[in-house]
Amino acid sequence: MLFKTIKPLLCDGAIGTELIKQTNQKIPEILNLTQPEIVKQLHTNYIKAGSDIITTNSFGANYPRLKKAIKNLGEINIYELNKLSAKIANEVKTKDKLLFGSVGPTGLKPEDKEFKKIAEYFGEQIRGLKDGGVDIILIETMTIVEEMKIAFEIARNEANLPVAVSMSFKIENGQIYTYAGVDFKNAVKEMMNLGADVIGANCGNGFAEMVEIAKSLKSLAGDFPILIQPSAGTPQKINKSLIYPDTPDKISPYVEKLIDIGINIIGGCCGTTPEHIEVMRRIIDEKFK
Ligand SMILES: [Zn+2]
């Protein structure tokens, strides 16, 4: 199977937080329309850093999230925006790389009235990503099982592509939960039962905590292909900019541990940069030379 490589595949790092840092645009997905060259440059920087897989700038490109952020959403076609994000990435992607189509949460909760329409919202996003030419649908940063299941089902039905699902976890009093409070074992069981091609954990409280989460995930998931994308920790706001504690010079011991656990795909989430990915590339190549 594609993801059961002995040598882990390397993804990119953050798209959203990097684009926000560079442009001050608070809704990074809009940059696909307004400043595609900046998005393209970021993809290029990740390829130069050694990524095997890059990710579309489409994490929050779903109707409920954009509607909350933009007053006049009327002119934005969600399907086209997602398709464009994939086209931009494909313009710089070489044949030996893979492209993840990023699908993040809608922000809706199962008790919200609008949650009923969630399949429709994921449908337009995933169709756009597929038609733009992504290789794999990545359903990421999920915290609510119901939402993850619907997104997965739509991905399976709408796109004849591999699907990776990844949830966000935190550790509290020694127990692991999703950010919506779902127990770790249940969440992992749900991910495995879906029949996804890859399951994983992303974002969260940084590299050290992710090592613990990855260990637990590996012990439950066994040979199931695993993706791990830690954030660069919880940021502090200093002089209006967000400073992430897990800087590239600090992550090596944790990256080594993650690889030794036997995960199949590694990359970075919020706050990580091409420099973080360069560190990961060096460690992977060193371990598997
Ligand atoms: Zn993140």
Side-chain angles (χ1 to χ4, degrees):
M1 195 208 270
L2 179 62
F3 306 108
K4 278 204 173 170
T5 52
I6 304 289
K7 183 176 178 174
L9 290 170
L10 179 59
C11 305
D12 49 8
I15 298 291
T17 56
E18 268 300 284
L19 291 173
I20 292 168
K21 187 173 82 185
Q22 288 176 24
T23 63
N24 275 326
Q25 164 61 264
K26 290 196 170 56
I27 309 149
E29 294 80 8
I30 296 304
L31 296 166
N32 295 323
L33 296 164
T34 56
Q35 288 173 280
E37 66 289 350
I38 289 188
V39 181
K40 218 181 281 179
Q41 186 60 51
L42 181 59
H43 291 315
T44 302
N45 292 348
Y46 279 123
I47 289 174
K48 281 188 188 152
S51 298
D52 302 306
I53 307 173
I54 59 170
T55 311
T56 55
N57 175 31
S58 60
F59 176 83
N62 62 64
Y63 180 78
R65 245 181 110 106
L66 289 184
K67 199 180 123 210
K68 213 173 158 194
I70 305 167
K71 273 191 197 121
N72 195 359
L73 192 60
E75 290 152 36
I76 295 175
N77 179 311
I78 302 285
Y79 165 85
E80 292 294 343
L81 180 62
N82 281 279
K83 190 171 163 187
L84 180 60
S85 74
K87 287 197 152 169
I88 289 169
N90 266 321
E91 276 177 40
V92 297
K93 192 193 85 147
T94 46
K95 277 214 175 76
D96 55 333
K97 311 287 179 196
L98 292 168
L99 179 58
F100 269 154
S102 171
V103 176
T106 58
L108 295 173
K109 296 188 178 72
E111 58 270 27
D112 294 338
K113 225 170 109 192
E114 243 195 309
F115 195 85
K116 284 202 302 285
K117 288 169 81 178
I118 209 168
E120 196 183 301
Y121 299 142
F122 282 129
E124 57 188 357
Q125 179 174 28
I126 289 168
R127 276 194 301 278
L129 291 170
K130 180 195 152 216
D131 291 349
V134 304
D135 300 303
I136 303 146
I137 301 291
L138 172 65
I139 297 164
E140 58 176 337
T141 326
M142 289 287 149
T143 63
I144 298 168
V145 170
E146 293 89 325
E147 181 173 32
M148 173 181 75
K149 278 183 169 172
I150 295 168
F152 179 82
E153 209 169 297
I154 298 296
R156 269 284 180 261
N157 294 339
E158 298 280 352
N160 187 20
L161 295 171
V163 184
V165 288
S166 177
M167 299 187 88
S168 287
F169 299 101
K170 59 179 173 176
I171 302 180
E172 258 177 30
N173 305 320
Q175 300 288 315
I176 312 175
Y177 301 96
T178 73
Y179 278 79
V182 182
D183 166 72
F184 182 69
K185 275 189 186 156
N186 281 341
V188 174
K189 203 173 75 193
E190 294 283 1
M191 282 196 281
M192 290 174 74
N193 287 345
L194 285 176
D197 297 274
V198 180
I199 62 171
N202 75 293
C203 216
N205 289 322
F207 281 71
E209 194 169 292
M210 192 57 105
V211 170
E212 300 311 313
I213 293 167
K215 269 185 210 160
S216 303
L217 181 54
K218 181 69 185 170
S219 74
L220 290 175
D223 282 343
F224 218 99
I226 292 175
L227 163 140
I228 296 288
Q229 295 179 311
S231 75
T234 307
Q236 269 194 308
K237 210 169 193 179
I238 298 169
N239 293 335
K240 283 187 185 170
S241 51
L242 292 175
I243 307 297
Y244 288 86
D246 294 358
T247 45
D249 57 310
K250 292 185 186 138
I251 64 171
S252 294
Y254 305 111
V255 174
E256 301 232 6
K257 281 181 193 159
L258 286 171
I259 292 166
D260 291 343
I261 289 167
I263 64 169
N264 308 83
I265 306 177
I266 187 169
C269 203
C270 301
T272 59
T273 63
E275 290 73 35
H276 289 82
I277 299 306
E278 267 173 34
V279 171
M280 293 182 189
R281 179 78 276 161
R282 263 204 309 276
I283 293 172
I284 294 170
D285 289 347
E286 191 59 34
K287 278 190 184 283
F288 293 89
K289 66 180 171 202

